[in-house]
Amino acid sequence: MQEAHLPSADTPQPKQIPNDRRLRPRADANARSLSPGNRLFLLWPLIAIVLLLLALAALSMEIMSGARAYVSGESLWSKGQKAAVMHLLDYVASGDQADYADYRRNIGVTLGDRRAREALDRPDPDRAAAAEGFLDGGNDAGDVPSLIRLFVWFRWAPPMREAIDLWTEGDRLIGEIDAVARVAHSQINAGGLTADERTVLTLRVRQLNDALESVAVRFSWTLGDISRRIHRGLNVAMLVVSSLSLVVGVMLTRRMLRESQQVELDLRTSEASLREAQRLAEVGSWSHRVDRGQTEWSDQARRMLGGDDGGWMPAWGDYLDRIADADRGRIEAAWKAARSEGRPYEAEYRIQVPGRGQRWIHERGNPVSDASGQVVVIDGTVMDVSKRRDAEERVRQLAHYDELTGLPNRALFQIELQRALVAAHALDTRLALMFIDLDRFKIINDTLGHDAGDLVLVEVAQRLRASLRDTDIVARLGGDEFVVLIEGIEANSEAAAVAQKVLEQIGRPIAIDERDYSVTASIGISQYPTDGQDVQTLRKNADLAMYRAKEKGKNQYEFYSVYMSRRSSQQLALEADLRQALERGELVLHYQPRVRVAGGAARVVGCEALLRWQHPQRGLLPPGQFVGMAEETGLIVPIGLWVLETACRQNAAWRQAGLPPISVSVNVSARQLGDRGFADQVGRVLEHSGMAADALELEITESLLMDHPERSVKLLHALNALGVRIAIDDFGTGHSSLAYLKRFPIDCIKIDRAFVADLPDETDACSIARAIVALAHSLQRSVVAEGVETAAQRDFLLQQGCDEFQGFLFSAAVDADTFATLHKAAAEPVNA
């Protein structure tokens, strides 16, 4: 829409003309009185226009309600689709039926919308079935009638048809994803998936999801285009009807001026009707006599521009002063062009109205010239379009801002980042992009609920705003991910200072239900132009830096470096190899002896099974280089089962070979600990291997036990019922309480090597080791010290009453054959 403006300050001040003294020609002496029938004939166009305006207003509200409902429904559909894909990928990786149940619940949202579309997109729409489908899709019951009406009314219109076709394409892709899910479910129920099958299914889901994301983006854009077309159409209709109202009023006025005194009375009645119509339509009119410098304002115009009392008649200078600074110059220019060149104009501008604040006004001006071409009159209309502008702003808000936090969303941030890159390139300046991810946010959602999680996100958003300059931009990408754009930086230290301030602000306690909770964040920083010169590269590198910050312990920031990209590529290649390592037989177990020391002699009483990977190119890899990756990808589940089976079979084989009986310790991963069927799985392994249950010891880290203590208690009791021994690994590094230690059916406590390393020289380490041994013995638990490498460490721990030892002082971890030889030689006690 073109923008233009009102009279300049040097225009003569307007003159208020009484309602009964309008400038009009003298009445025709021969004019006839109007009969009631003639009066009705003259008034019916006004009545029709008022009804048409009311109908247009009602139609506008209905269409706006439907458009808003479709925007809201698209958001619900997108959330359901993304959550369904996420749970489906988790299900393919883990085989956990809970993931499949979560997938079915989320996919139901999209399937409900699909049923609604199919019910409506037919020659005879089934409105009841469509309503049921929309409700199944999570739409508000109050929005359903608007959704149905908008679909039925406009389904043959080309833009709506395009949106429906995209919707249909999206439903087709959802159907293919659901078909993959059903195949995976069937195969998992039939006995599980091989690594290749998981890879194929995962790749297929990701391919379908990528295609679906593209369709979703086009569908969202098409909805926006439809909304814009509807707005333009309604605006044109309103302007046409308003113009028609003005024309009819002028025609009636001219007709009535030719009548007698009775016609004059009827004319006043007609003018009153016109004023009421303008009041109902919120349209005011004005007419400016250029030769006299006089302006007539309708009552509705005075009410619209003069505040609550409607008595304000502004001087042009005062009127212009109330127009917003950004609009005033263009309004003046348009008015001067109308007077001097006879150029019509149309404009929307903001003006301060007494008692009502800032309003949006739509104005049209039409110059009228005499026979010589000189402008003598400028007629115009004014309309308060604040409600329409508010509706447009709401649509823009939904499209570009996060509904929960009010921050810019991913789409708007993408636009702002692209703008900033163009400016930085033109001005040869630097900018920094910060990718912020909350640490362990899932625990808050899982333990306190999603409402508490939302409170945390809103509070974090407010703290981020408070930590930044007004010129900096902060956005929420989704979930617990935020991004910050800082323009015009000159050194890394500036970005580092901002990142540190953000960490400190986020780290302050957050009150939830009258209790304080601490939240931390990890921040990755990439910079233009050194770390990337386009949106995708900068975002990818900031993301890599953020993950590096998490790997280094969380609650810190990390700048991107080229090393991270190389490391990421290497990790991806290693992950691809790991998916096939189990099938290729590349995984092996090494065993580190566990000994008892008495009278200066050490006797092997057990061993710990430690995983190694015999990589075909990189050689023998320790677990630190691939176990974390296995945890993230879900491969730890089949790998963990293989370790358990192999260790039990090997111990049974040693026993059958005549070696003295010993126990074998196996580490349990977080994924295994969270598996409700883990205890049954251990029982089956023991049965198939033929090894006695008391010869198996499962090592579980203290922190894993305390993540879900109630669930851990149930699992440990189930394992204890099998006769399996339980050991707490890395004791002292977690946050367990004595209350839970008493409830856990634990047989052994292992002192972490971090405390053993400084023995016996470091006083605090000695105190901690002494306390752990005393605590364990008071609870009738045995104690094993890990990482014993010197005789001094061994002697100190012996003095404290430590029961068993493990470490390089006695032996490193060795392969099964070497361990058998070592164990056979140690059948008799050896010198320690």
Side-chain angles (χ1 to χ4, degrees):
M1 181 178 292
Q2 294 180 344
E3 293 190 16
H5 302 265
L6 275 186
S8 61
D10 58 342
T11 303
Q13 294 187 0
K15 178 180 179 181
Q16 182 173 355
I17 306 298
N19 289 340
D20 59 344
R21 296 183 61 193
R22 307 294 182 189
L23 295 175
R24 58 176 66 87
R26 181 178 300 174
D28 187 352
N30 297 321
R32 299 170 299 160
S33 288
L34 290 177
S35 67
N38 287 336
R39 288 197 297 271
L40 179 62
F41 175 78
L42 289 173
L43 288 176
W44 78 260
L46 289 175
I47 296 172
I49 289 171
V50 171
L51 294 176
L52 182 57
L53 285 171
L54 292 174
L56 280 174
L59 178 62
S60 175
M61 293 177 64
E62 175 65 23
I63 293 175
M64 287 297 298
S65 176
R68 178 200 59 76
Y70 270 104
V71 171
S72 176
E74 191 273 338
S75 177
L76 292 172
W77 184 94
S78 179
K79 291 179 180 177
Q81 170 255 316
K82 291 178 180 177
V85 170
M86 178 189 71
H87 287 298
L88 177 55
L89 291 173
D90 287 344
Y91 177 59
V92 171
S94 67
D96 190 343
Q97 295 303 320
D99 288 330
Y100 186 73
D102 289 337
Y103 160 76
R104 295 286 353 148
R105 184 178 69 256
N106 285 284
I107 202 70
V109 173
T110 62
L111 296 178
D113 288 339
R114 174 181 179 175
R115 291 193 298 274
R117 176 188 59 77
E118 292 173 344
L120 293 175
D121 197 14
R122 58 177 65 171
D124 184 19
D126 187 343
R127 295 172 181 262
E132 183 178 353
F134 279 130
L135 291 175
D136 290 343
N139 294 279
D140 188 90
D143 290 338
V144 169
S146 297
L147 290 168
I148 293 175
R149 283 193 289 269
L150 196 63
F151 191 108
V152 173
W153 290 349
F154 297 101
R155 57 178 168 160
W156 303 118
M160 190 69 175
R161 189 70 254 167
E162 181 181 356
I164 294 171
D165 290 341
L166 289 171
W167 189 353
T168 304
E169 175 62 13
D171 286 341
R172 183 187 68 78
L173 293 170
I174 285 291
E176 292 192 32
I177 290 175
D178 196 38
V180 173
R182 295 181 185 277
V183 169
H185 186 56
S186 174
Q187 292 180 348
I188 288 172
N189 287 340
L193 296 170
T194 67
D196 285 342
E197 289 171 339
R198 283 194 182 91
T199 300
V200 170
L201 291 175
T202 299
L203 180 59
R204 181 55 179 161
V205 170
R206 292 187 185 280
Q207 289 174 339
L208 292 172
N209 186 56
D210 289 343
L212 188 58
E213 290 287 350
S214 175
V215 171
V217 169
R218 291 163 55 204
F219 179 74
S220 177
W221 186 93
T222 304
L223 280 183
D225 184 56
I226 291 173
S227 179
R228 290 189 293 272
R229 288 172 182 253
I230 290 173
H231 287 155
R232 287 196 296 268
L234 290 175
N235 288 339
V236 170
M238 291 294 288
L239 290 175
V240 168
V241 173
S242 300
S243 300
L244 180 61
S245 174
L246 181 62
V247 171
V248 170
V250 172
M251 292 176 61
L252 291 178
T253 301
R254 290 178 178 177
R255 170 75 179 271
M256 297 174 80
L257 286 174
R258 294 192 297 266
E259 301 296 337
S260 63
Q261 188 173 6
Q262 181 61 44
V263 174
E264 182 77 17
L265 178 61
D266 292 338
L267 176 61
R268 292 175 184 173
T269 302
S270 179
E271 287 178 341
S273 299
L274 177 60
R275 289 194 298 273
E276 179 64 12
Q278 290 182 337
R279 186 188 67 80
L280 293 174
E282 295 188 344
V283 176
S285 61
W286 55 270
S287 181
H288 179 74
R289 293 288 184 116
V290 175
D291 56 343
R292 300 179 185 179
Q294 296 177 342
T295 304
E296 297 182 23
W297 297 83
S298 70
D299 291 343
Q300 178 61 21
R302 291 198 299 274
R303 280 191 294 268
M304 187 185 305
L305 301 174
D308 296 333
D309 58 3
W312 180 60
M313 285 301 299
W316 282 119
D318 187 20
Y319 186 89
L320 288 171
D321 286 343
R322 296 191 180 189
I323 295 177
D325 293 341
D327 303 330
R328 188 180 302 123
R330 289 173 292 180
I331 295 293
E332 289 184 280
W335 176 260
K336 289 178 180 179
R339 284 192 309 167
S340 60
E341 304 173 21
R343 183 187 303 170
Y345 68 89
E346 184 174 349
E348 286 191 5
Y349 55 87
R350 290 154 291 183
I351 186 170
Q352 286 293 329
V353 176
R356 298 172 65 194
Q358 181 172 274
R359 309 294 294 176
W360 275 98
I361 300 298
H362 180 93
E363 178 176 326
R364 298 185 66 188
N366 185 36
V368 178
S369 303
D370 57 16
S372 65
Q374 186 70 29
V375 174
V376 293
V377 176
I378 302 177
D379 294 326
T381 59
V382 287
M383 180 188 300
D384 189 331
V385 293
S386 301
K387 292 180 180 179
R388 174 175 62 78
R389 281 283 188 163
D390 290 343
E392 291 173 352
E393 176 60 23
R394 177 58 180 159
V395 171
R396 191 182 74 86
Q397 187 81 11
L398 290 172
H400 290 111
Y401 289 87
D402 177 55
E403 190 170 1
L404 176 64
T405 64
L407 294 177
N409 61 12
R410 182 189 299 268
L412 181 55
F413 186 79
Q414 189 99 344
I415 295 171
E416 290 294 334
L417 180 54
Q418 184 61 51
R419 173 201 58 75
L421 287 174
V422 172
H425 177 74
L427 301 174
D428 193 23
T429 58
R430 298 171 59 186
L431 61 81
L433 177 66
M434 295 185 181
F435 197 103
I436 304 171
D437 187 87
L438 301 185
D439 300 326
R440 299 168 66 84
F441 178 73
K442 185 176 185 296
I443 294 178
I444 292 180
N445 269 339
D446 292 344
T447 56
L448 302 181
H450 289 280
D451 288 342
D454 288 348
L455 288 175
V456 170
L457 292 173
V458 171
E459 179 64 22
V460 168
Q462 293 173 351
R463 293 183 182 185
L464 285 173
R465 286 194 190 100
S467 303
L468 303 171
R469 303 171 303 181
D470 292 339
T471 55
D472 299 332
I473 298 174
V474 58
R476 181 187 177 210
L477 297 184
D480 59 349
E481 296 178 344
F482 298 85
V483 284
V484 171
L485 173 62
I486 305 174
E487 298 181 69
I489 64 169
E490 296 182 359
N492 289 1
S493 58
E494 295 181 37
V498 174
Q500 184 60 42
K501 184 178 180 182
V502 167
L503 289 175
E504 293 171 357
Q505 288 293 321
I506 293 177
R508 292 190 291 110
I510 297 176
I512 302 175
D513 294 334
E514 299 182 354
R515 292 187 61 185
D516 286 343
Y517 295 87
S518 294
V519 177
T520 61
S522 297
I523 303 177
I525 306 173
S526 64
Q527 300 179 81
Y528 171 88
T530 55
D531 301 331
Q533 300 187 17
D534 60 80
V535 170
Q536 297 302 325
T537 303
L538 283 173
R539 281 186 51 187
K540 179 193 71 173
N541 292 341
D543 195 33
L544 285 174
M546 182 274 294
Y547 277 107
R548 180 58 178 161
K550 284 188 177 293
E551 290 174 1
K552 293 176 67 175
K554 304 182 177 67
N555 193 27
Q556 58 187 287
Y557 62 85
E558 188 75 19
F559 282 91
Y560 169 78
S561 68
V562 178
Y563 158 76
M564 294 178 186
S565 291
R566 290 198 298 266
R567 184 172 179 271
S568 178
S569 299
Q570 292 170 357
Q571 289 293 97
L572 288 174
L574 195 63
E575 178 183 333
D577 291 342
L578 183 59
R579 293 184 180 279
Q580 303 178 36
L582 191 59
E583 294 181 3
R584 293 174 176 174
E586 295 171 359
L587 300 180
V588 295
L589 289 184
H590 283 190
Y591 302 87
Q592 186 172 37
R594 216 165 75 185
V595 302
R596 283 182 178 270
V597 177
R603 179 168 56 88
V604 176
V605 295
C607 64
E608 181 178 356
L610 299 172
L611 183 62
R612 302 289 187 268
W613 180 8
Q614 188 64 54
H615 193 279
Q617 283 82 39
R618 303 186 185 188
L620 191 65
L621 300 181
Q625 294 189 23
F626 63 91
V627 167
M629 181 189 306
E631 284 275 7
E632 292 178 6
T633 60
L635 293 173
I636 195 66
V637 175
I639 291 175
L641 178 59
W642 177 86
V643 170
L644 182 64
E645 291 173 340
T646 303
C648 289
R649 283 199 305 268
Q650 183 62 66
N651 197 19
W654 286 331
R655 185 74 183 92
Q656 291 172 2
L659 294 176
I662 60 171
S663 65
V664 61
S665 299
V666 176
N667 291 282
V668 178
S669 70
R671 295 265 187 152
Q672 290 173 295
L673 195 64
D675 185 354
R676 296 183 180 90
F678 180 61
D680 294 334
Q681 190 178 73
V682 171
R684 288 193 296 271
V685 170
L686 290 172
E687 181 181 354
H688 293 160
S689 67
M691 188 183 78
D694 60 1
L696 174 63
E697 183 174 86
L698 296 178
E699 295 189 10
I700 306 172
T701 63
E702 181 184 7
S703 57
L704 285 182
L705 286 175
M706 293 309 299
D707 278 346
H708 300 283
E710 294 298 333
R711 186 174 67 189
S712 298
V713 168
K714 294 180 181 179
L715 175 60
L716 294 187
H717 278 291
L719 293 171
N720 183 259
L722 294 174
V724 174
R725 290 172 51 82
I726 305 297
I728 293 187
D729 196 13
D730 300 338
F731 186 78
T733 61
H735 50 274
S736 59
S737 67
L738 290 177
Y740 274 110
L741 281 178
K742 291 171 61 179
R743 293 178 60 190
F744 290 149
I746 298 164
D747 299 284
C748 176
I749 291 176
K750 302 188 75 172
I751 304 176
D752 185 67
R753 64 182 66 248
F755 300 125
V756 175
D758 294 327
L759 297 177
D761 301 321
E762 212 276 324
T763 303
D764 290 341
C766 292
S767 299
I768 293 172
R770 188 180 296 113
I772 292 175
V773 173
L775 173 63
H777 286 169
S778 69
L779 297 174
Q780 285 79 50
R781 271 62 165 174
S782 61
V783 182
V784 177
E786 295 183 299
V788 179
E789 298 182 358
T790 69
Q793 293 170 345
R794 175 202 61 196
D795 293 341
F796 175 83
L797 290 166
L798 274 173
Q799 292 173 7
Q800 308 312 314
C802 185
D803 301 296
E804 297 177 11
F805 303 86
Q806 184 178 333
F808 287 171
L809 178 63
F810 306 97
S811 174
V814 295
D815 59 50
D817 292 339
T818 304
F819 181 86
T821 302
L822 179 65
H823 182 28
K824 185 176 181 180
E828 296 295 331
V830 298
N831 195 310

